[in-house]
Each structure stands twice: as C-alpha cells, then as structure tokens.
Amino acid sequence: MQTKHLNYDKIAPEYNQRYPSTQFWERGQALLELAKRTKSQRILEAGSGTGFWLNLLHQVTPQLYGMDYSAGMIAQARNQPAPIQLTRGTATQLPYQNETFDLIYCVDAIHHFGDHAAFVNEAFRILKPGGTLAIIGHDPHSGDGSWYIYDYFDTVYETDLNRYPSARTIEILMNQAGFQGFQMQNVEHIQNLHVGKAVLNDPFIKHNATSQLALLSEEIYQAGMDKINADLNQAQLENRQIIFKSDFFVRMFTGTKA
C-alpha cells in the first residue's frame, strides 16, 4: 500500500539529484523573467525545498525568502550560495504579515499543500497590492501528455489526479481569492525518450527521486520496476526496440493582487 505523507527530511540529502547541472531548466527561466518583468524586490517561495529556484533569483534581488515544512530541506537550502531567509511553516498558514511580498511562487509543490484554496488565500493576504502569485507545475488533468511512470507504477496516476488541482481549479481559486488577470502559459516541454535499458539510468525512476514514487511502498515500487524489466527482457527476446516516453508540459499560472 501507499504511504499517505512523504517524509522530505529523509530524502532531502539526495533531493538535488533531480537537478543535473547539465540541464537547462525553462521553468526557471520563466520564473526569472517574471521576477524581472514585475520588478519584484521581495520574493517568497512557498515549499522552497533545497532553495534551488531561489538561488536562481538572486540575480534579481537579495531579498529572498523561503518557507518549507521540512527541516531537512531547510538545512539543505542553507547551503545555497544566495543568502536566503528561511522559515519552517505550512503553505496553508503562511507565517508572514499582511502585504509583505511582491512575488510569491511555488514550483512543483502545490500538490503537497493539501488545501489549495487556503494557500491561494494566504498568498493573497501577504502579497502587496500589485503583487503576483505564480504556481508552476504540470497538470495531470489536461490529458495532453504522457509519462511512462504512470503506465508502470500502480496508483500513481490516480493519486496525482487527487493531489494536483487542474488549470480550471487554479483559475477559480485565484478569482475567488481576489486575484485579477489570470494567465496560463506553457513554460517547459518535457520530452525525454529512454531507449531500452537506458530507462534504468533515468534519475526520476529512483524510489526517492519524486513524490510520485517516494509515496509508494517498497512492494508497489518494486512491482513497477519488475514490469519495466519484464518489458525490457521481452523486447530483447523479440529483437525489437522499446521506448519509455516522458512528454508533457510544465505550466505557469499567474494572477495579480489588484
């Protein structure tokens, strides 16, 4: 069976394996361009993790704030070159005063927040008038992508449908909170084709690399790996090529506090 909650303290030391230095992260570039365009001086990342994205924004402003529930992640974020003011807390009760920030964002994190409406309302509260909220991540509800992880590991897709808000839900929540000018844009197109046994070198297939797999019990995770290896062996017997595909969009949703 699955575990209900992911212990990020346990996986924090190895979490940055998902950010190879050789890869250009388009979602990071989109975030950087947003911070520049909005001339944001005080920036908060909710669910800041290891501080990877905040460190990127140091070229825009030194006033960087990170909030995460995991003490282990906060400890890792302290190793970033950029000076980040870090706080432990929850996204549904952001520990900051009203009208504090110019930009609040989360990257691949809203599915961990539980009460999505509470987070959006809290972000509205602590944003300055004219401030921006940006939510970045993929939308499993869209139906316009594919990911082999969903095909091989039981319950993962269904769990993601429950955890992730759809684009339409995010738009409704922002409008209800008082945000204006809702926009959605594709900021990164993930296209990875792993041919044959090369899939076993995919950093995202490790049990603790993503929450999708880390939430699985050892039994369910191993069953998924067994399915992959069985297909690899069958393809080899039949002398044919097998491809494991990741093809989906990462989107950024933004709204402005009037």
Side-chain angles (χ1 to χ4, degrees), residues 195-216:
V195 180
K197 291 185 178 180
V199 70
L200 301 177
N201 296 322
D202 180 6
F204 289 94
I205 204 174
K206 296 180 181 179
H207 197 176
N208 63 352
T210 68
S211 65
Q212 280 82 4
L213 296 184
L215 283 170
L216 297 179

Side-chain angles (χ1 to χ4, degrees), residues 4-66:
K4 293 183 179 180
H5 303 286
L6 184 57
N7 184 355
Y8 271 97
D9 290 347
K10 184 177 180 180
I11 69 175
E14 298 180 354
Y15 189 79
N16 276 336
Q17 68 185 346
R18 65 188 295 171
Y19 300 128
S21 59
T22 55
Q23 183 162 340
F24 175 75
W25 294 95
E26 294 172 90
R27 74 194 75 173
Q29 187 62 35
L31 184 60
L32 182 61
E33 291 173 358
L34 175 65
K36 290 179 178 178
R37 185 171 69 250
T38 57
K39 299 179 181 180
S40 297
Q41 291 302 304
R42 184 171 290 183
I43 298 175
L44 168 68
E45 179 176 6
S48 51
T50 61
F52 181 85
W53 305 111
L54 279 169
N55 185 63
L56 177 68
L57 296 180
H58 188 225
Q59 56 189 288
V60 176
T61 177
Q63 297 184 64
L64 301 172
Y65 295 76

Side-chain angles (χ1 to χ4, degrees), residues 26-27 30 136-139 142 144 183-189 248-253:
E26 294 172 90
R27 74 194 75 173
I136 299 174
H138 88 282
D139 178 8
S142 67
D144 60 359
Q183 292 187 343
M184 180 186 77
Q185 65 181 107
N186 295 331
V187 294
E188 190 168 333
H189 190 184
F248 55 88
F249 287 99
V250 175
R251 296 184 165 100
M252 180 165 68
F253 309 93

Side-chain angles (χ1 to χ4, degrees), residues 1-3 207 213-223:
M1 60 185 296
Q2 288 180 305
T3 57
H207 197 176
L213 296 184
L215 283 170
L216 297 179
S217 67
E218 182 61 35
E219 290 76 16
I220 293 179
Y221 172 75
Q222 191 56 52

Side-chain angles (χ1 to χ4, degrees), residues 49-123:
T50 61
F52 181 85
W53 305 111
L54 279 169
N55 185 63
L56 177 68
L57 296 180
H58 188 225
Q59 56 189 288
V60 176
T61 177
Q63 297 184 64
L64 301 172
Y65 295 76
M67 190 284 307
D68 203 282
Y69 181 75
S70 167
M73 286 293 201
I74 289 174
Q76 293 296 313
R78 296 193 193 284
N79 297 323
Q80 291 288 354
I84 304 171
Q85 300 188 53
L86 296 160
T87 301
R88 190 180 182 205
T90 65
T92 55
Q93 291 181 309
L94 293 169
Y96 305 97
Q97 295 181 352
N98 294 352
E99 300 185 358
T100 300
F101 297 99
D102 301 300
L103 171 63
I104 299 172
Y105 71 91
C106 62
V107 179
D108 303 321
I110 193 171
H111 52 291
H112 296 302
F113 296 168
D115 189 339
H116 304 136
F119 164 64
V120 173
N121 288 328
E122 277 288 273

